[in-house]
Amino acid sequence: MPLAFLNAKSSIFNGANPFEVSDYVRANVGSHSLSLSSRSQGSASLSHRKAGGLDLCRLSYGARARVISEGLADIYHLQFILRGYCRYTLPHTTLDLSAGHFLLLNPDDPLDITYSEDCEKFIVKLPATMLGDACAEHRWTRSRERITFKQVPYRFQELESLIVLLQLICEEAESALTTPQMLQHYNRVVTTKLMTMLEHDLGLEEPCQHAPCFERLVQYINDNIKQDISAEQLSHFSRLSLRSLYLLFEKNAKTTPKQFIRQKKLEHVHATLTNPASKAPNVTAVALEYGFTHLGRFSELYRSTFGMLPSEAMKSRLSS
Protein backbone atom coordinates (compact mmCIF):
# COMPACT_ATOMS: atom_id res chain seq x y z
CA MET A 1 0.00 0.00 0.00
CA PRO A 2 1.57 3.35 -1.03
CA LEU A 3 2.38 5.82 1.72
CA ALA A 4 -0.14 8.68 1.90
CA PHE A 5 2.27 11.63 1.83
CA LEU A 6 0.18 14.48 0.33
CA ASN A 7 -2.62 14.04 -2.22
CA ALA A 8 -3.76 15.85 -5.36
CA LYS A 9 -4.88 18.89 -3.33
CA SER A 10 -1.22 19.74 -2.76
CA SER A 11 -0.03 19.30 -6.34
CA ILE A 12 2.00 22.26 -7.63
CA PHE A 13 3.57 20.72 -10.77
CA ASN A 14 2.69 17.63 -12.79
CA GLY A 15 4.59 16.64 -15.95
CA ALA A 16 6.57 19.89 -15.70
CA ASN A 17 10.02 21.02 -16.73
CA PRO A 18 12.42 19.86 -13.97
CA PHE A 19 14.11 23.27 -13.86
CA GLU A 20 10.78 24.98 -13.11
CA VAL A 21 10.29 22.54 -10.24
CA SER A 22 13.87 23.16 -9.11
CA ASP A 23 13.24 26.92 -8.99
CA TYR A 24 10.21 26.37 -6.78
CA VAL A 25 12.11 23.99 -4.49
CA ARG A 26 14.98 26.47 -4.23
CA ALA A 27 12.57 29.20 -3.11
CA ASN A 28 10.57 27.10 -0.65
CA VAL A 29 12.55 24.08 0.50
CA GLY A 30 16.31 24.59 0.15
CA SER A 31 19.04 26.23 -1.92
CA HIS A 32 20.63 24.00 -4.59
CA SER A 33 21.62 23.69 -8.24
CA LEU A 34 20.15 21.07 -10.62
CA SER A 35 21.65 19.29 -13.62
CA LEU A 36 20.10 16.52 -15.74
CA SER A 37 21.46 13.64 -17.78
CA SER A 38 21.82 14.76 -21.40
CA ARG A 39 19.75 11.78 -22.50
CA SER A 40 16.50 13.04 -20.99
CA GLN A 41 14.83 16.33 -20.14
CA GLY A 42 12.50 14.70 -17.62
CA SER A 43 8.90 15.15 -16.62
CA ALA A 44 8.83 16.44 -13.05
CA SER A 45 6.13 16.54 -10.40
CA LEU A 46 5.90 18.30 -7.07
CA SER A 47 3.41 18.52 -4.22
CA HIS A 48 3.95 21.00 -1.40
CA ARG A 49 2.24 22.06 1.82
CA LYS A 50 3.18 24.09 4.86
CA ALA A 51 2.26 22.56 8.22
CA GLY A 52 3.04 25.00 10.99
CA GLY A 53 6.81 25.44 10.93
CA LEU A 54 7.32 22.43 8.65
CA ASP A 55 7.38 22.28 4.86
CA LEU A 56 6.10 19.02 3.34
CA CYS A 57 7.25 18.18 -0.17
CA ARG A 58 6.75 15.17 -2.49
CA LEU A 59 9.16 15.38 -5.41
CA SER A 60 10.13 13.56 -8.59
CA TYR A 61 12.31 14.96 -11.42
CA GLY A 62 11.39 12.18 -13.86
CA ALA A 63 15.00 12.00 -15.08
CA ARG A 64 18.43 11.08 -13.84
CA ALA A 65 19.23 14.27 -11.95
CA ARG A 66 22.05 15.67 -9.85
CA VAL A 67 21.44 18.18 -7.06
CA ILE A 68 24.32 20.06 -5.44
CA SER A 69 24.04 22.29 -2.38
CA GLU A 70 26.68 24.10 -0.37
CA GLY A 71 24.57 23.57 2.74
CA LEU A 72 21.05 23.98 4.09
CA ALA A 73 21.88 26.93 6.38
CA ASP A 74 19.52 26.74 9.36
CA ILE A 75 17.28 23.85 8.27
CA TYR A 76 17.28 20.06 8.51
CA HIS A 77 15.92 17.84 5.72
CA LEU A 78 14.10 14.58 6.39
CA GLN A 79 14.30 12.54 3.18
CA PHE A 80 12.18 9.43 2.56
CA ILE A 81 12.93 7.46 -0.63
CA LEU A 82 9.53 6.32 -1.96
CA ARG A 83 10.61 4.97 -5.38
CA GLY A 84 13.88 4.34 -7.22
CA TYR A 85 17.16 5.13 -5.53
CA CYS A 86 19.32 8.08 -4.51
CA ARG A 87 23.08 8.46 -4.04
CA TYR A 88 24.17 10.88 -1.31
CA THR A 89 27.77 12.09 -1.44
CA LEU A 90 28.32 13.69 1.97
CA PRO A 91 31.45 15.18 3.59
CA HIS A 92 32.54 11.89 5.20
CA THR A 93 30.61 9.16 3.41
CA THR A 94 28.70 8.11 0.30
CA LEU A 95 25.35 6.36 0.70
CA ASP A 96 23.27 4.57 -1.95
CA LEU A 97 19.68 4.44 -0.70
CA SER A 98 16.86 2.55 -2.35
CA ALA A 99 13.11 2.86 -1.85
CA GLY A 100 12.10 2.26 1.77
CA HIS A 101 15.04 4.16 3.29
CA PHE A 102 15.24 7.41 5.25
CA LEU A 103 18.08 9.87 5.85
CA LEU A 104 18.21 13.11 7.85
CA LEU A 105 20.46 15.83 6.38
CA ASN A 106 22.14 18.32 8.72
CA PRO A 107 22.40 22.08 8.12
CA ASP A 108 25.65 23.43 6.65
CA ASP A 109 26.86 20.06 5.30
CA PRO A 110 27.62 20.30 1.56
CA LEU A 111 25.50 17.86 -0.48
CA ASP A 112 25.88 16.08 -3.80
CA ILE A 113 22.76 13.99 -4.53
CA THR A 114 22.06 11.86 -7.60
CA TYR A 115 18.47 10.78 -8.37
CA SER A 116 17.63 7.75 -10.47
CA GLU A 117 15.20 8.41 -13.31
CA ASP A 118 12.32 6.86 -11.38
CA CYS A 119 13.27 8.34 -7.99
CA GLU A 120 10.52 9.92 -5.91
CA LYS A 121 11.09 11.38 -2.45
CA PHE A 122 9.07 12.80 0.40
CA ILE A 123 11.02 15.64 2.03
CA VAL A 124 10.29 17.47 5.28
CA LYS A 125 12.00 20.81 5.83
CA LEU A 126 12.49 21.41 9.55
CA PRO A 127 13.92 24.70 10.90
CA ALA A 128 16.79 24.32 13.40
CA THR A 129 14.90 26.58 15.84
CA MET A 130 12.27 23.87 16.31
CA LEU A 131 14.86 21.42 17.61
CA GLY A 132 16.20 24.15 19.89
CA ASP A 133 12.69 24.66 21.27
CA ALA A 134 12.35 20.92 21.87
CA CYS A 135 15.61 20.89 23.83
CA ALA A 136 14.42 23.77 25.98
CA GLU A 137 11.04 22.14 26.62
CA HIS A 138 12.52 18.79 27.60
CA ARG A 139 15.54 20.30 29.40
CA TRP A 140 18.04 18.55 27.14
CA THR A 141 21.41 20.26 27.55
CA ARG A 142 23.28 21.13 24.35
CA SER A 143 27.08 21.34 24.35
CA ARG A 144 26.96 23.46 21.20
CA GLU A 145 24.41 25.54 19.35
CA ARG A 146 23.51 23.07 16.60
CA ILE A 147 22.53 19.40 16.93
CA THR A 148 24.27 17.03 14.51
CA PHE A 149 22.50 13.83 13.50
CA LYS A 150 24.59 10.84 12.49
CA GLN A 151 24.56 10.27 8.74
CA VAL A 152 23.16 6.75 8.87
CA PRO A 153 20.22 5.45 6.83
CA TYR A 154 17.13 3.98 8.48
CA ARG A 155 14.60 1.60 7.02
CA PHE A 156 10.96 2.65 7.12
CA GLN A 157 10.20 -0.32 9.40
CA GLU A 158 12.42 1.25 12.07
CA LEU A 159 10.44 4.50 11.99
CA GLU A 160 6.85 3.31 11.78
CA SER A 161 5.47 5.69 14.42
CA LEU A 162 7.23 8.68 12.80
CA ILE A 163 5.88 7.75 9.36
CA VAL A 164 2.34 7.34 10.70
CA LEU A 165 2.63 10.75 12.37
CA LEU A 166 3.89 12.43 9.19
CA GLN A 167 1.07 10.90 7.14
CA LEU A 168 -1.40 12.29 9.67
CA ILE A 169 0.24 15.73 9.47
CA CYS A 170 -0.06 15.64 5.67
CA GLU A 171 -3.74 14.85 6.01
CA GLU A 172 -4.27 17.63 8.57
CA ALA A 173 -2.30 20.16 6.49
CA GLU A 174 -4.65 19.48 3.57
CA SER A 175 -7.80 19.78 5.69
CA ALA A 176 -9.78 23.01 5.81
CA LEU A 177 -10.75 22.24 9.43
CA THR A 178 -7.21 22.20 10.84
CA THR A 179 -6.10 25.16 12.98
CA PRO A 180 -2.58 26.64 13.16
CA GLN A 181 -2.46 25.71 16.84
CA MET A 182 -3.14 22.05 16.01
CA LEU A 183 -0.33 21.98 13.47
CA GLN A 184 2.07 23.53 15.96
CA HIS A 185 1.24 20.73 18.42
CA TYR A 186 2.05 18.18 15.72
CA ASN A 187 5.33 20.02 15.02
CA ARG A 188 6.38 19.60 18.64
CA VAL A 189 5.65 15.88 18.55
CA VAL A 190 7.66 15.45 15.33
CA THR A 191 10.75 17.18 16.76
CA THR A 192 10.54 15.16 19.98
CA LYS A 193 10.24 11.91 18.02
CA LEU A 194 13.28 12.78 15.92
CA MET A 195 15.32 13.49 19.03
CA THR A 196 14.31 10.26 20.75
CA MET A 197 14.34 7.91 17.72
CA LEU A 198 17.46 8.95 15.79
CA GLU A 199 21.17 8.99 16.61
CA HIS A 200 22.74 12.39 17.29
CA ASP A 201 25.41 14.12 19.39
CA LEU A 202 23.11 15.28 22.18
CA GLY A 203 22.63 13.57 25.54
CA LEU A 204 18.99 13.46 26.61
CA GLU A 205 19.63 13.32 30.34
CA GLU A 206 17.64 15.88 32.28
CA PRO A 207 19.42 18.23 34.74
CA CYS A 208 17.45 16.70 37.61
CA GLN A 209 14.71 14.18 38.12
CA HIS A 210 11.24 15.47 38.98
CA ALA A 211 11.09 14.86 42.75
CA PRO A 212 14.63 16.03 43.68
CA CYS A 213 14.25 19.05 41.40
CA PHE A 214 10.96 20.04 43.01
CA GLU A 215 12.42 19.59 46.51
CA ARG A 216 15.29 21.93 45.60
CA LEU A 217 12.79 24.52 44.38
CA VAL A 218 10.77 24.29 47.60
CA GLN A 219 13.95 24.78 49.62
CA TYR A 220 14.87 27.78 47.47
CA ILE A 221 11.42 29.30 48.05
CA ASN A 222 11.65 28.76 51.82
CA ASP A 223 15.16 30.25 51.94
CA ASN A 224 13.98 33.37 50.11
CA ILE A 225 10.41 33.50 51.36
CA LYS A 226 10.48 37.19 52.31
CA GLN A 227 11.54 38.20 48.79
CA ASP A 228 9.33 38.75 45.75
CA ILE A 229 10.08 35.44 43.97
CA SER A 230 9.03 35.21 40.32
CA ALA A 231 8.51 32.20 38.08
CA GLU A 232 11.40 33.50 35.96
CA GLN A 233 13.71 33.32 38.99
CA LEU A 234 12.68 29.74 39.65
CA SER A 235 13.20 28.90 35.96
CA HIS A 236 16.74 30.33 36.06
CA PHE A 237 17.57 28.59 39.36
CA SER A 238 16.36 25.16 38.19
CA ARG A 239 17.53 25.48 34.56
CA LEU A 240 13.99 24.63 33.41
CA SER A 241 11.97 26.35 30.73
CA LEU A 242 8.91 28.18 32.05
CA ARG A 243 6.67 25.55 30.46
CA SER A 244 8.60 22.73 32.16
CA LEU A 245 8.52 24.64 35.46
CA TYR A 246 4.73 24.96 35.34
CA LEU A 247 4.41 21.26 34.46
CA LEU A 248 6.66 20.36 37.42
CA PHE A 249 4.50 22.34 39.87
CA GLU A 250 1.32 20.88 38.38
CA LYS A 251 2.71 17.36 38.79
CA ASN A 252 4.01 17.79 42.34
CA ALA A 253 1.76 20.45 43.92
CA LYS A 254 -1.34 20.59 41.67
CA THR A 255 -0.93 24.35 41.42
CA THR A 256 1.08 27.10 39.72
CA PRO A 257 4.43 28.47 40.98
CA LYS A 258 2.81 31.81 41.88
CA GLN A 259 0.02 30.20 43.92
CA PHE A 260 2.50 27.84 45.59
CA ILE A 261 4.76 30.74 46.65
CA ARG A 262 1.75 32.68 47.97
CA GLN A 263 0.64 29.67 50.00
CA LYS A 264 4.13 29.26 51.47
CA LYS A 265 4.21 32.96 52.42
CA LEU A 266 0.82 32.61 54.14
CA GLU A 267 2.09 29.59 56.08
CA HIS A 268 5.11 31.57 57.28
CA VAL A 269 2.89 34.51 58.28
CA HIS A 270 0.58 32.14 60.18
CA ALA A 271 3.52 30.54 61.98
CA THR A 272 4.78 33.99 63.01
CA LEU A 273 1.38 35.28 64.19
CA THR A 274 0.63 32.18 66.27
CA ASN A 275 4.13 31.69 67.74
CA PRO A 276 4.19 32.81 71.40
CA ALA A 277 7.91 33.57 71.08
CA SER A 278 7.38 35.94 68.14
CA LYS A 279 8.10 39.61 68.77
CA ALA A 280 6.08 40.87 65.79
CA PRO A 281 4.43 44.16 66.83
CA ASN A 282 1.27 43.84 64.71
CA VAL A 283 -0.38 42.09 61.75
CA THR A 284 0.52 44.84 59.28
CA ALA A 285 4.23 44.56 60.01
CA VAL A 286 4.21 40.80 59.49
CA ALA A 287 2.15 41.02 56.28
CA LEU A 288 4.47 43.63 54.79
CA GLU A 289 7.55 41.65 55.82
CA TYR A 290 6.36 38.76 53.62
CA GLY A 291 5.35 40.93 50.69
CA PHE A 292 1.58 41.31 51.23
CA THR A 293 1.08 45.00 50.46
CA HIS A 294 -2.70 44.92 49.91
CA LEU A 295 -3.86 44.35 53.48
CA GLY A 296 -7.56 43.86 52.74
CA ARG A 297 -6.83 41.15 50.17
CA PHE A 298 -4.28 39.62 52.54
CA SER A 299 -6.89 39.31 55.30
CA GLU A 300 -9.32 37.58 52.93
CA LEU A 301 -6.65 35.12 51.77
CA TYR A 302 -5.61 34.42 55.35
CA ARG A 303 -9.18 33.75 56.52
CA SER A 304 -9.97 31.49 53.52
CA THR A 305 -6.79 29.50 54.24
CA PHE A 306 -6.82 29.24 58.05
CA GLY A 307 -10.47 29.90 58.96
CA MET A 308 -9.77 33.04 61.00
CA LEU A 309 -8.65 36.62 60.49
CA PRO A 310 -4.95 37.37 61.02
CA SER A 311 -5.87 39.68 63.91
CA GLU A 312 -7.70 36.80 65.61
CA ALA A 313 -4.64 34.57 65.19
CA MET A 314 -2.44 37.20 66.81
CA LYS A 315 -4.88 37.65 69.71
CA SER A 316 -4.82 33.89 70.36
CA ARG A 317 -1.00 34.08 70.55
CA LEU A 318 -1.05 37.02 72.98
CA SER A 319 -3.62 35.37 75.23
CA SER A 320 -1.75 32.07 75.45
Side-chain angles (χ1 to χ4, degrees):
M1 181 177 177
L3 296 175
F5 291 131
L6 303 178
N7 61 31
K9 293 180 182 178
S10 301
S11 179
I12 307 295
F13 295 98
N14 188 21
N17 183 311
F19 291 99
E20 291 183 45
V21 173
S22 177
D23 288 342
Y24 183 93
V25 172
R26 189 180 301 112
N28 293 277
V29 184
S31 177
H32 69 278
S33 63
L34 173 71
S35 60
L36 300 179
S37 166
S38 59
R39 294 172 296 181
S40 172
Q41 290 307 304
S43 178
S45 63
L46 174 75
S47 297
H48 176 242
R49 280 278 176 172
K50 288 196 69 69
L54 302 175
D55 277 87
L56 313 172
C57 177
R58 186 163 181 157
L59 169 68
S60 172
Y61 285 117
R64 184 173 176 82
R66 185 181 182 190
V67 169
I68 296 177
S69 172
E70 294 181 359
L72 300 171
D74 58 351
I75 59 175
Y76 294 81
H77 268 197
L78 287 62
Q79 303 220 346
F80 297 82
I81 314 299
L82 306 180
R83 291 190 296 115
Y85 70 87
C86 219
R87 167 167 287 190
Y88 293 85
T89 302
L90 305 170
H92 304 294
T93 187
T94 297
L95 300 170
D96 288 309
L97 303 187
S98 57
H101 284 86
F102 162 86
L103 183 68
L104 190 148
L105 301 176
N106 292 303
D108 298 329
D109 284 348
L111 306 170
D112 188 339
I113 307 173
T114 301
Y115 291 65
S116 67
E117 186 172 345
D118 60 342
C119 181
E120 183 180 25
K121 295 199 294 190
F122 175 65
I123 300 171
V124 179
K125 170 187 168 183
L126 188 150
T129 53
M130 289 176 58
L131 288 174
D133 291 343
C135 289
E137 179 179 355
H138 294 278
R139 296 170 285 157
W140 295 327
T141 304
R142 290 183 286 175
S143 59
R144 51 186 179 177
E145 182 180 356
R146 188 155 288 164
I147 300 160
T148 300
F149 288 83
K150 293 185 179 179
Q151 300 294 272
V152 294
Y154 298 84
R155 295 192 63 83
F156 286 3
Q157 293 92 321
E158 301 174 74
L159 306 171
E160 286 185 5
S161 61
L162 175 63
I163 288 174
V164 169
L165 175 62
L166 288 172
Q167 290 184 101
L168 177 59
I169 291 175
C170 287
E171 182 180 336
E172 295 291 352
E174 293 172 327
S175 170
L177 302 178
T178 304
T179 65
Q181 292 81 1
M182 186 185 301
L183 291 173
Q184 290 298 338
H185 286 310
Y186 282 127
N187 287 182
R188 289 171 52 211
V189 178
V190 168
T191 52
T192 301
K193 274 196 169 294
L194 290 173
M195 294 299 299
T196 55
M197 296 180 73
L198 306 185
E199 296 183 63
H200 47 72
D201 63 353
L202 180 66
L204 301 187
E205 297 80 9
E206 296 181 351
C208 57
Q209 297 300 315
H210 286 293
C213 189
F214 183 72
E215 290 169 5
R216 286 177 53 237
L217 282 167
V218 173
Q219 186 62 52
Y220 178 85
I221 291 168
N222 285 326
D223 290 344
N224 299 276
I225 194 64
K226 293 182 181 180
Q227 298 180 21
D228 184 14
I229 307 169
S230 67
E232 287 76 14
Q233 282 177 265
L234 297 181
S235 173
H236 178 75
F237 171 75
S238 60
R239 295 195 297 129
L240 300 177
S241 68
L242 282 173
R243 174 178 171 76
S244 295
L245 181 75
Y246 275 80
L247 290 174
L248 186 69
F249 272 84
E250 177 61 30
K251 177 180 175 65
N252 289 275
K254 308 302 181 190
T255 188
T256 66
K258 181 179 179 179
Q259 291 171 330
F260 184 87
I261 292 167
R262 185 179 67 187
Q263 179 63 28
K264 284 295 180 184
K265 285 180 177 289
L266 285 170
E267 290 173 6
H268 279 263
V269 170
H270 182 66
T272 301
L273 293 178
T274 57
N275 182 4
S278 171
K279 300 187 183 300
N282 52 56
V283 170
T284 299
V286 177
L288 292 175
E289 185 178 10
Y290 286 93
F292 293 103
T293 56
H294 193 296
L295 298 180
R297 189 176 304 145
F298 160 72
S299 293
E300 294 173 7
L301 285 171
Y302 191 96
R303 181 165 59 179
S304 66
T305 303
F306 301 107
M308 66 178 77
L309 290 170
S311 57
E312 295 171 339
M314 193 165 192
K315 285 179 184 177
S316 68
R317 181 200 81 187
L318 295 175
S319 63
S320 60

